[in-house]
Amino acid sequence: MERKVYTLPALAYPYNALTPHISEGQLKIHHTKHHQAYVDNVNNINKKFDDATKSGADVDIKALLKELAFNLGGHSLHSYFWEDMAPPSKGGGKPGGKLADQVNRDFGGLDRFKKLFSQTATSVEGSGWASLIYCGELDRLMLQQIEKHNVNYAPDFTAVMVLDVWEHAYYIDYKNLRAKFVEAFWNVVNWDGIGKWFEEIKGWY
Ligand code: MN
């Protein structure tokens, strides 16, 4: 039986929609090359397990599981990331509704949240992510700094929004200047979409 595989999720906007903050070339290579590679890698790893199951062969389980965690993280974080951005005509500004209330309560206001989230992103050691997570038990937003796609990652907390600060996310537009890219992100942040997603997450509790 053919098993299901992951596919690259389509973006909700064209590749040139985030200019001038993220160029068409930068977004296209990020989506079609980098994200696609994580999708392909997970599918290949699952196929290796399936092939070995069929033949009864051993697998190098430690190496495969290390690769699987890395690539699964890459796939899921990128899938969130595309939805966290919108064309500058619709993005930027500030959140409304429950998300605005929660940000005010947990971070003392949007400006302070943006400062802390930006600091989380710019200070990632090497390649990684800034992530805002929600804990239903505490009814609290928390920050998470993920190295690579899966290091320093606390499982079971749903990401409300993420920002990719791998150099592959910005090198064409900003060279090595990560802080410039993080600053630009706030012009395309999709508060409407993130706010709706946050209300859905809150509804689980
Ligand atoms: Mn990336």
Side-chain angles (χ1 to χ4, degrees), residues 17-45:
L18 304 183
T19 56
H21 308 290
I22 299 176
S23 69
E24 180 173 2
Q26 178 73 76
L27 185 61
K28 195 170 184 181
I29 200 168
H30 195 178
H31 184 242
T32 63
K33 301 294 179 192
H34 295 284
H35 188 174
Q36 181 72 58
Y38 301 124
V39 169
D40 293 343
N41 289 342
V42 176
N43 291 336
N44 288 335
I45 293 161

Side-chain angles (χ1 to χ4, degrees), residues 30 34 38 78 129 149 164 166 168-169:
H30 195 178
H34 295 284
Y38 301 124
H78 282 93
W129 298 76
H149 299 310
D164 187 346
W166 278 61
H168 74 214

